């Protein structure tokens, strides 16, 4: 199903909810496939929702070209190896979500706080965040996740 995204929109790379749901980061991943397409002043791909004749649902988001790999080294760092279609690593997918959610004109809300951070490579996440200028956004969101986790744990303790 995910491979179909590339046939629907040339240049699409699986990211966001699809990647984070598949790896177990999200508790309730959506049934639709989410993918990102590179955008720039000269690239304006068709974005939004697409439902195929068989009822399969896809959602395409535009993302600045700087978030896409431009060298073999970046491909190894950003994309999952051995997949049948291009698929970002979960760490990159989370950063894409944070970036899009922080954009004024985006309808995408912040990632949920009840997530499983243990499935991510935290060092890679921080390195990628620093490279793309999202380290502050990541810090704020991670702080919110930690506060929620502490609250849930405190409420679960017997009194």
């Amino acid at each position: 199903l995910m491979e179909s995204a590339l046939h629907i929109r040339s240049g699409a790379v699986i990211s966001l909810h699809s990647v984070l749901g598949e790896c177990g980061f999200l508790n309730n991943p959506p049934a639709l496939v989410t993918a990102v397409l590179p955008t720039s002043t000269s690239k304006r791909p068709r974005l939004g929702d697409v439902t195929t004749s068989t009822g399969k649902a896809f959602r395409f988001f535009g993302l600045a070209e700087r978030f896409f790999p431009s060298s073999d080294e970046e491909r190894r760092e950003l994309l999952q190896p051995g997949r049948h279609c291009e698929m970002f690593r979960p760490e990159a997918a989370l950063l894409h979500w944070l970036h899009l959610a922080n954009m004024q004109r985006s309808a995408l809300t912040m990632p949920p706080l009840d997530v499983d951070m243990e499935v991510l490579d935290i060092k890679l996440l921080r390195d990628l965040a620093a490279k793309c200028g999202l380290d502050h956004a990541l810090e704020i969101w991670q702080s919110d996740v930690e506060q929620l986790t502490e609250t849930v744990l405190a409420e679960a303790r017997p009194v």
Side-chain angles (χ1 to χ4, degrees):
L1 174 63
M2 290 189 198
E3 297 87 11
S4 300
L6 183 59
H7 299 290
I8 295 170
R9 295 284 186 271
S10 179
V13 181
I14 306 302
S15 186
L16 304 165
H17 307 74
S18 292
V19 170
L20 294 167
E22 183 186 75
C23 75
F25 177 80
L26 294 176
N27 290 318
N28 298 307
L32 59 82
V33 174
T34 53
V36 291
L37 289 156
T39 61
S40 68
T41 53
S42 62
K43 287 185 182 178
R44 296 282 177 218
R46 287 186 17 207
L47 307 174
D49 294 354
V50 174
T51 303
T52 66
S53 59
T54 59
K56 306 296 185 213
F58 297 83
R59 183 166 293 152
F60 296 93
F61 292 89
L63 191 65
E65 283 184 302
R66 69 185 177 95
F67 288 98
F68 290 80
S70 60
S71 68
D72 286 342
E73 181 182 336
E74 286 181 356
R75 290 182 70 73
R76 284 189 296 275
E77 186 176 56
L78 295 171
L79 300 177
Q80 295 183 34
R83 300 303 296 238
H84 295 293
C85 63
E86 288 195 334
M87 195 169 191
F88 278 104
R89 291 183 184 272
E91 297 79 9
L94 175 57
L95 295 173
H96 296 164
W97 195 338
L98 289 171
H99 172 72
L100 291 170
N102 278 304
M103 293 180 67
Q104 287 183 355
R105 65 183 189 275
S106 177
L108 192 61
T109 59
M110 290 298 281
L113 301 177
D114 60 334
V115 295
D116 185 358
M117 292 295 292
E118 292 182 11
V119 300
L120 300 181
D121 177 337
I122 299 301
K123 182 183 179 337
L124 176 61
L125 179 63
R126 289 189 178 135
D127 289 350
L128 292 176
K131 284 182 182 178
C132 62
L134 289 170
D135 39 352
H136 183 65
L138 176 62
E139 249 178 65
I140 291 169
W141 180 80
Q142 273 189 296
S143 174
D144 291 345
V145 169
E146 289 166 10
Q147 284 179 352
L148 176 66
T149 303
E150 288 173 15
T151 301
V152 169
L153 290 175
E155 290 173 359
R157 286 189 202 110
V159 183

